Amino acid sequence: METTDISRPADPALAASPTVHPAKPASPYAQASTIVPIREIGVRYRARITRHLLALDEHDRYLRFGYPATDEQIRKYVDGLNFERDQVFGIFNRRLQMIAMAHLAYPDDMAQAGFAEFGVSVAKHTRGRGYGRLLFERAAIHAVNHGVDTLYIHALSENTAMLKIARNAGAVIERAGSESEAYLRLPEATFKTRLDQLLADQVGEVDYWIKSEAAALRGLLATVQEVRDGVREGRHKSGS
């Protein structure tokens, strides 16, 4: 999946004669993301984003970036993330490891035309849980509330999972050989969309706080156990 460090069409526009027609449009945003907490993340998460992307195998990197990105290219991509302009969303497990992330980019040449670009990656061991779709919905509602007209996805044609997500949301998809482009028209913001985003933000923050507290407690208990083991060992040696 291509993102801001990959070349894009200079003047993106909606396709007039798509080769793949959209499915019956579903809501491009949904409240399902409140079930799987999704957190908007910032610059201090660069290291975790890097670890997540470096853990992708060669084929997954190929699907995510459109080429088998090397470790150096991935680090360059992460270093180039503009958190002041773009939005990055993450899903974390109970140990606060990033297991899925999405990048909603606003490149200057596309933002002026009302476009935003979406890219997503999911850890292999967590596939099949709908994380890609949930991140797409979370990014879409953010885009809606920030006045974006069209959500754009540039994917390899073999990336059927991503194209299925776009098609089920009602996107128009154009295929050109090994590459595909999806365009999803977004509705205007409403009170409900703003409320949905606020709820999703709060759920993501509370979930992350709970997991952080749990991780700190596990660390404390581990330290206490180490102290106890050390005391026992000391008593045993002194007794012998």
Side-chain angles (χ1 to χ4, degrees):
M1 186 78 57
E2 297 192 36
T3 48
T4 54
D5 60 331
I6 310 298
S7 60
R8 298 181 183 78
D11 185 18
L14 285 179
S17 301
T19 56
V20 178
H21 294 281
K24 181 180 180 181
S27 173
Y29 52 85
Q31 297 183 36
S33 56
T34 61
I35 300 175
V36 177
I38 296 173
R39 190 167 192 258
E40 185 173 345
I41 55 180
V43 64
R44 69 188 182 96
Y45 289 85
R46 284 193 198 273
R48 297 195 202 188
I49 295 171
T50 301
R51 285 196 294 271
H52 165 72
L53 293 174
L54 288 178
L56 299 176
D57 61 28
E58 183 176 352
H59 182 66
D60 290 337
R61 294 182 185 193
Y62 177 61
L63 294 180
R64 173 62 180 84
F65 294 101
Y67 62 93
T70 64
D71 290 357
E72 181 181 355
Q73 288 169 323
I74 285 177
R75 290 190 177 95
K76 183 178 180 181
Y77 160 75
V78 177
D79 289 342
L81 288 173
N82 186 338
F83 291 96
E84 294 183 359
R85 181 192 64 188
D86 302 343
Q87 276 71 45
V88 181
F89 304 94
I91 297 178
F92 299 85
N93 64 14
R94 66 186 185 88
R95 296 188 179 277
L96 297 181
Q97 297 170 330
M98 184 180 294
I99 54 178
M101 66 157 286
H103 181 192
L104 183 65
Y106 297 90
D108 293 336
D109 58 335
M110 300 180 71
Q112 293 177 0
F115 281 63
E117 185 176 2
F118 176 80
V120 68
S121 57
V122 179
K124 188 179 292 292
H125 68 282
T126 63
R127 305 272 169 79
R129 303 179 188 178
Y131 290 162
R133 174 180 58 82
L134 293 172
L135 284 164
F136 181 80
E137 292 168 352
R138 181 69 181 83
I141 192 173
H142 190 285
V144 166
N145 290 332
H146 285 76
V148 175
D149 295 327
T150 305
L151 203 56
Y152 168 76
I153 300 169
H154 193 157
L156 295 172
S157 296
E158 64 183 272
N159 193 346
T160 56
M162 185 67 256
L163 294 177
K164 180 180 179 181
I165 291 172
R167 187 180 299 111
N168 287 344
V172 171
I173 299 175
E174 272 202 328
R175 287 180 178 169
S178 63
E179 298 184 353
S180 293
E181 295 180 340
Y183 303 87
L184 177 64
R185 282 290 196 188
L186 298 177
E188 293 184 0
T190 64
F191 175 76
K192 181 180 183 303
T193 64
R194 294 190 175 94
L195 187 61
D196 287 347
Q197 181 178 344
L198 178 62
L199 177 61
D201 288 342
Q202 291 300 315
V203 170
E205 290 297 324
V206 171
D207 173 78
Y208 192 87
W209 177 81
I210 291 174
K211 289 174 178 175
S212 298
E213 292 297 305
L217 179 59
R218 286 196 298 270
L220 176 61
L221 293 176
T223 300
V224 170
Q225 187 60 47
E226 289 178 2
V227 172
R228 287 177 177 176
D229 292 344
V231 171
R232 292 194 187 100
E233 183 177 354
R235 288 176 178 174
H236 177 72
K237 290 182 178 179
S238 61
S240 61

